[in-house]
Amino acid sequence: MNVLTRIAIYTICLFYFINVIHSFSIITINKNGNNNNNNNNAIAFAAPVCKKFNATSPHSFDYFLLSIQWPGSACIGQQNCHVPTFVKEFTIHGLWPNSLKDVMGPTCCYNEALNEKLFSSLIPTMQTNWPSYYHPNEQFWDHEWLKHGTCAKNVSATNGQFNYFSSTLQLHSQLNLFNILQRNQIVPSDSITYNRDKIEYILQKNNIPGLVACTKDGRHLEEIRFCVDKSLRVVPCAPNQVNDVHTRNRCSSDIYYPTIKYN
């Protein structure tokens, strides 16, 4: 066997060995969940919040819908959902400009990127009261700001990132939902159901008229939503809002208010 033949054989063997090692590395990465091409979270993170922006001014809307979520049911039927262990009470989903005429109000109004420097003093409170159960907090806040917050500029209390997040936090703190329900013997349980109308009556009696929104199966309290006027006062929802699926979601007459699970 001459020298050139030996070199060719060695080259082929080396090429085969490198490919085997490369394939093994890919398999290992996939098993560890670190390959971005096959990581559902990475794909979800890359998805744009708004495909286009409707930069017309002013963006008209009639009221805000404040959506407050219960962590005990937020992950029911969901994948890659994790409730942080420090979460013990209701947390914020979002504050959404809404219309009385349409199912939803304006969305994706301006392409104004989230800038945490503008609301850095609020971040510690947001981490506690406005956490994400799916993605990094910053992505959740970016989603809420771009889709909803940019459409609230014609109300001074929600004009700009600091005002939008600050006002939403203030509304959330004023509700005191968990304690109000607890004082009325409505406590989290995986075995006891509560009457939905009774929950809404308790809220109304405490001057925070809200509507219960349930999980897709209609059996678990997922969120409580409040109609808020442009002066940031919680007000009763109009009849058409009460019956709007987007506002209330269909619920059984008796529903679970489940305990929080951490995983």
Side-chain angles (χ1 to χ4, degrees), residues 221-242:
L221 185 156
E222 182 174 21
E223 298 190 347
I224 299 180
R225 295 172 179 163
F226 301 87
C227 292
V228 178
D229 66 18
K230 293 183 180 180
S231 298
L232 298 188
R233 295 174 300 187
V234 176
V235 296
C237 293
N240 62 319
Q241 297 165 277
V242 172

Side-chain angles (χ1 to χ4, degrees), residues 33-196:
N34 295 323
N35 185 349
N36 288 339
N37 291 330
N38 294 288
N39 189 315
N40 291 332
N41 286 340
I43 293 172
F45 290 173
V49 175
C50 301
K51 293 183 179 180
K52 64 178 182 179
F53 293 88
N54 305 307
T56 57
S57 181
H59 293 279
S60 61
F61 63 95
D62 300 303
Y63 69 101
F64 291 103
L65 190 66
L66 174 65
S67 190
I68 306 299
Q69 58 188 350
W70 174 242
S73 49
C75 293
I76 292 177
Q78 305 293 334
Q79 295 181 342
N80 302 317
C81 180
H82 305 283
V83 178
T85 54
F86 60 79
V87 172
K88 309 295 181 185
E89 301 186 17
F90 287 88
T91 61
I92 299 168
H93 184 168
L95 182 68
W96 310 327
N98 254 39
S99 171
L100 289 171
K101 297 179 181 179
D102 302 319
V103 174
M104 293 184 65
T107 58
C108 299
C109 295
Y110 298 98
N111 189 3
E112 181 183 328
L114 189 77
N115 183 353
E116 292 185 32
K117 292 181 180 179
L118 298 176
F119 57 93
S120 58
S121 62
L122 302 176
I123 288 179
T125 306
M126 291 177 67
Q127 288 172 335
T128 301
N129 297 289
W130 203 332
S132 172
Y133 303 152
Y134 298 94
H135 311 307
N137 287 337
E138 294 77 10
Q139 185 182 347
F140 183 30
W141 301 337
D142 179 65
H143 174 99
E144 293 300 314
W145 164 249
L146 283 176
K147 187 174 181 179
H148 304 289
T150 59
C151 299
K153 285 177 171 286
N154 61 353
V155 174
S156 59
T158 54
N159 182 11
Q161 296 182 34
F162 180 89
N163 288 339
Y164 174 73
F165 290 121
S166 177
S167 293
T168 307
L169 289 168
Q170 185 176 1
L171 281 167
H172 173 256
S173 67
Q174 291 171 351
L175 293 175
N176 198 23
L177 276 177
F178 185 85
N179 289 333
I180 287 175
L181 293 177
Q182 188 177 53
R183 286 200 302 266
N184 288 272
Q185 290 74 54
I186 306 292
V187 295
S189 172
D190 296 321
S191 58
I192 300 172
T193 58
Y194 300 99
N195 184 266
R196 182 204 64 195

Side-chain angles (χ1 to χ4, degrees), residues 209-255:
L211 301 174
V212 174
C214 292
T215 50
K216 291 181 180 179
D217 61 10
R219 299 175 59 211
H220 302 84
L221 185 156
E222 182 174 21
E223 298 190 347
I224 299 180
R225 295 172 179 163
F226 301 87
C227 292
V228 178
D229 66 18
K230 293 183 180 180
S231 298
L232 298 188
R233 295 174 300 187
V234 176
V235 296
C237 293
N240 62 319
Q241 297 165 277
V242 172
N243 296 321
D244 177 18
V245 174
H246 171 66
T247 305
R248 194 178 201 178
N249 284 15
R250 293 194 177 97
C251 296
S252 304
S253 57
D254 295 304
I255 57 176

